[in-house]
Amino acid sequence: MKLGKKISLICGAVLICAVAICSILQLMWTQKRLEAQTLDHLLRKQGDLASAFLMDFEQSQEVGDSLVVRNVLARYCFSKHADSGGILVIDGEVLENKQIFDPRDYLPMGEEDDQRHFRGKINGKEMLLVGSSLYISYKTRAQVYVAEDMTPVLEQVAAMARRFAGIGLIATALGLSCILILVNRSMRSLEALQAAAAQIAGGSYEKRAKVETRDEVGALAQSFNHMADRVEAHIGELTETAQRQKRFIGAVTHEFKTPLTGILLNVDTLLTLYLTEEEQREALEHIQSQAKWLESLVKKLLHLVTMGEELKCSPVDVEELLEKVERTTAGTLNARGVKLKTECFTDTVSGDEDLLLSVLINLVDNAAKASKPGGTVYITAHGRFLEVADQGIGIPPEALPHVTEAFYMADPSRSKAQGGVGLGLSLVREILNAHGAVMEIESVPGGGTTVRIKFPA
């Protein structure tokens, strides 16, 4: 007998056995899994029902010893949370039971038993019963049961068995008819596929297996190609996640500077100068406000930069926002010998106050770095616009398209000397994008820079 026929017969026998065994094992595993899931669901359901009932009963219980009132109250609290499978027994009396059997006949409970369950025939039906015993008062003991009919689960398994049988028969018939024809062609293609698979397994994920046939070997080649595509895509996702995390760490580090500067200046003032009690309180309140803002800012940056969550906007008082910018940047501007002048001709804008405060602080900080000692930074609010302008060194025309890129610095030596890392405008752009706002930058080398923010109507 030829090798091809021998392989075909062997493969046919193996195919029949494999289909039968796998179908049986899969069916057994599925049945156990469904039963386990049903039991786990019923255990949680019973535990939640018992906890909710006990909580409502304890909160609603009236002072007194009337059994009638207690039973009515217990039945009311229990029925709020129980469905048709819930059963309540208090001091041996069944208060709530929509089933046609007494659960104590199949699952008796002790004085204070934890969850127990029963699986078996009840009135001709395959039932699952879960119960527990608990004290609802000093001397009052209750049992809470939950019953569920297992018939739908068994019917689902039976239907799955029929499907497995049909699929198995179809697969076996097709396999036996195709094996003899395809085995010889597959043998010729296996070596080429093995070489391609070895390259992919070695880490060359850009390699793809050449699909020359439409048989099992061709399907295997397509599976390898699909695997390589998924792995390559997963590596890209991991790279993107790492970049977002890097951006978040950089953004948080960048945003630490301004509030920490204010905190350190106030701490240094408290440690080195004699202050009145009112001055001390003002310094401590400033430290507290900066710390709270920093905490809130970090949380919002985490959701915005790392998780990509949608921003929740609300009306922001522009005049109050500009006052906070003045207070927050006062220490940094004084250290650089730069003044800040604000003009407000609008009431509110829609956005997140903490993030907009971060935007303006970044822009003011950049403007102060670009200004000479004695210079002035201007913030103007009018209509849907916020403008931050300076009369500093300006930005070269060739650098303007890139200034909002992460870690880009038009003058690296000057920026590093002033403690910059090229993240400020990148973070500003990301925050404004989340607000639906547009940022425009106008700059003249040696003549200053104006950053204009336009909010949506």
Side-chain angles (χ1 to χ4, degrees):
M1 187 180 290
K2 292 183 179 180
L3 179 61
K5 292 183 179 180
K6 289 182 180 179
I7 295 176
S8 299
L9 290 176
I10 294 173
C11 290
V14 171
L15 176 63
I16 294 173
C17 295
V19 169
I21 294 173
C22 290
S23 298
I24 293 172
L25 292 177
Q26 178 68 24
L27 191 61
M28 295 172 59
W29 177 81
T30 302
Q31 181 174 355
K32 290 183 179 179
R33 184 180 179 185
L34 287 174
E35 292 176 354
Q37 289 177 345
T38 303
L39 176 59
D40 184 61
H41 167 73
L42 208 59
L43 288 170
R44 291 198 302 269
K45 181 178 178 181
Q46 192 277 338
D48 294 341
L49 176 59
S51 299
F53 161 69
L54 182 60
M55 182 180 297
D56 279 4
F57 184 81
E58 290 178 346
Q59 292 177 352
S60 306
Q61 189 175 13
E62 299 288 339
V63 179
D65 297 326
S66 173
L67 295 180
V68 175
V69 173
R70 182 203 68 185
N71 290 345
V72 170
L73 178 61
R75 184 181 294 112
Y76 169 76
C77 294
F78 185 83
S79 62
K80 285 172 57 180
H81 305 282
D83 55 17
S84 61
I87 303 171
L88 175 63
V89 180
I90 296 181
D91 287 343
E93 181 182 357
V94 179
L95 297 183
E96 184 75 16
N97 185 2
K98 296 181 181 179
Q99 302 296 319
I100 57 175
F101 61 89
D102 191 333
R104 294 170 293 180
D105 296 339
Y106 304 92
L107 188 62
M109 304 299 298
E111 287 291 325
E112 197 168 356
D113 284 342
D114 292 329
Q115 282 185 325
R116 296 171 56 197
H117 68 276
F118 166 81
R119 162 74 188 281
K121 290 282 187 180
I122 301 179
N123 295 335
K125 292 184 178 180
E126 194 71 19
M127 299 292 294
L128 182 60
L129 186 63
V130 176
S132 65
S133 182
L134 65 156
Y135 279 94
I136 60 176
S137 65
Y138 180 71
K139 295 181 179 181
T140 304
R141 184 168 60 91
Q143 290 85 39
V144 177
Y145 295 89
V146 175
E148 185 162 330
D149 189 0
M150 293 291 291
T151 303
V153 175
L154 299 179
E155 290 177 350
Q156 185 178 357
V157 173
M160 189 177 297
R162 292 191 292 271
R163 287 196 298 269
F164 277 0
I167 293 172
L169 289 174
I170 295 173
T172 301
L174 291 176
L176 290 174
S177 61
C178 294
I179 284 174
L180 185 61
I181 300 174
L182 301 177
V183 68
N184 290 328
R185 295 177 60 187
S186 298
M187 293 291 291
R188 293 194 300 266
S189 303
L190 282 176
E191 292 182 359
L193 177 60
Q194 182 182 7
Q199 288 180 324
I200 295 174
S204 300
Y205 301 113
E206 73 281 358
K207 301 292 183 180
R208 297 294 182 269
K210 188 176 181 180
V211 181
E212 297 180 345
T213 61
R214 296 185 179 182
D215 54 13
E216 287 81 356
V217 178
L220 184 60
Q222 290 179 344
S223 297
F224 271 109
N225 291 339
H226 181 63
M227 175 193 68
D229 291 339
R230 294 296 299 273
V231 171
E232 193 172 14
H234 185 60
I235 292 174
E237 292 174 359
L238 292 176
T239 302
E240 183 180 357
T241 300
Q243 290 175 348
R244 292 181 72 89
Q245 292 174 346
K246 181 179 179 181
R247 285 161 53 203
F248 169 69
I249 295 173
V252 170
T253 304
H254 182 274
E255 293 306 298
F256 269 17
K257 294 188 300 181
T258 300
L260 283 180
T261 299
I263 291 173
L264 291 174
L265 286 174
N266 281 276
V267 170
D268 185 63
T269 301
L270 289 171
L271 292 175
T272 58
L273 298 179
Y274 174 77
L275 303 176
T276 64
E277 184 176 347
E278 183 178 354
E279 290 172 336
Q280 291 177 6
R281 182 176 181 83
E282 289 179 357
L284 290 173
E285 287 178 349
H286 184 73
I287 292 173
Q288 183 186 43
S289 66
Q290 291 295 291
K292 287 183 177 179
W293 175 58
L294 186 59
E295 178 188 23
S296 175
L297 185 61
V298 169
K299 290 180 180 178
K300 291 177 180 179
L301 288 176
L302 174 64
H303 291 285
L304 180 66
V305 178
T306 303
M307 301 180 182
E309 293 187 1
E310 187 175 348
L311 189 67
K312 295 181 180 179
C313 295
S314 58
V316 178
D317 188 305
V318 178
E319 187 173 355
E320 183 178 341
L321 178 66
L322 298 185
E323 291 177 358
K324 288 184 178 181
V325 174
E326 291 178 345
R327 291 196 302 269
T328 305
T329 59
T332 304
L333 295 180
N334 288 336
R336 292 194 174 106
V338 177
K339 299 178 181 179
L340 177 63
K341 183 177 181 181
T342 63
E343 291 182 317
C344 183
F345 302 103
T346 188
D347 296 328
T348 62
V349 293
S350 178
D352 183 282
E353 183 176 4
D354 291 329
L355 294 178
L356 291 180
L357 179 60
S358 174
V359 166
L360 292 177
I361 289 174
N362 271 290
L363 296 179
V364 170
D365 186 62
N366 287 344
K369 291 177 182 178
S371 300
K372 297 179 180 180
T376 303
V377 177
Y378 301 89
I379 303 180
T380 305
H382 57 92
R384 293 186 288 123
F385 296 89
L386 289 177
E387 293 183 0
V388 178
D390 63 71
Q391 299 172 339
I393 60 174
I395 303 173
E398 65 274 9
L400 275 176
H402 307 287
V403 292
T404 58
E405 297 175 4
F407 305 106
Y408 179 83
M409 291 178 283
D411 187 351
S413 59
R414 183 175 181 274
S415 297
K416 290 183 179 179
Q418 293 181 336
V421 293
L423 269 174
L425 288 179
S426 172
L427 181 60
V428 167
R429 180 192 62 185
E430 187 134 7
I431 294 174
L432 292 179
N433 287 341
H435 283 79
V438 178
M439 178 173 64
E440 300 174 352
I441 302 177
E442 299 176 359
S443 185
V444 178
T449 301
T450 299
V451 179
R452 184 178 296 106
I453 300 170
K454 181 180 180 181
F455 289 89

